[in-house]
Amino acid sequence: MPYPVLADALRLPHVQAEPVPQREAAARAALLELRRNQCPELRTWTTDDPAPATDTVLAVVDNEGELWRTTPRTGEWHLEEPPGRRGAGATLFGWRELLSEFGPVTEAVGHSDPDHRLEGRAQ
């Protein structure tokens, strides 16, 4: 399943109309709406939403289409390492840190893509 990504949101006319310092925040808000509208069966979170139970959500896709995983009940998230890329998942993030740096995030489904990047689609 292709997920919209931040680059898609940055191309939207209403995001482009924002002053440069506000564009990333506008793009993140637009991405949240894109994902909630295009993937209504999946949960998408931003910093304003309560954290999910870590025993039910094991993988999410960040605003660039990267796959993040958690070990149940730890609350720690790491970037899934694609084959041939070492050290990418070495840094652990708490839920709020993950959302602040890479949000919004969406539940991951069908994440068997060999390079672990879930392609975005142009809007």
Side-chain angles (χ1 to χ4, degrees):
M1 161 186 269
Y3 293 78
V5 294
L6 197 58
D8 299 326
L10 282 166
R11 287 191 291 271
L12 295 171
H14 73 278
V15 173
Q16 286 291 309
E18 291 291 328
V20 174
Q22 283 90 37
R23 277 193 197 147
E24 183 175 347
R28 285 180 183 228
L31 180 58
L32 175 68
E33 291 306 312
L34 283 172
R35 286 197 178 170
R36 286 185 173 166
N37 289 331
Q38 293 180 18
C39 310
E41 70 284 3
L42 302 175
R43 293 177 291 178
T44 297
W45 295 270
T46 186
T47 54
D48 295 335
D49 297 317
T54 56
D55 59 339
T56 59
V57 176
L58 301 176
V60 296
V61 176
D62 71 12
N63 63 25
E64 294 181 354
E66 297 285 353
L67 183 65
W68 290 78
R69 292 187 186 273
T70 189
T71 303
R73 294 175 290 286
T74 66
E76 294 178 330
W77 293 81
H78 67 276
L79 182 63
E80 182 71 15
E81 291 189 41
R85 191 166 99 190
R86 301 182 139 250
T91 303
L92 297 175
F93 287 83
W95 180 249
R96 294 288 166 212
E97 294 170 304
L98 177 65
L99 288 172
S100 178
E101 293 289 321
F102 304 102
V105 300
T106 302
E107 285 179 291
V109 296
H111 47 82
S112 59
D113 189 280
D115 72 353
H116 298 279
R117 184 172 178 78
L118 301 167
E119 292 301 318
R121 57 182 163 213
Q123 298 301 314

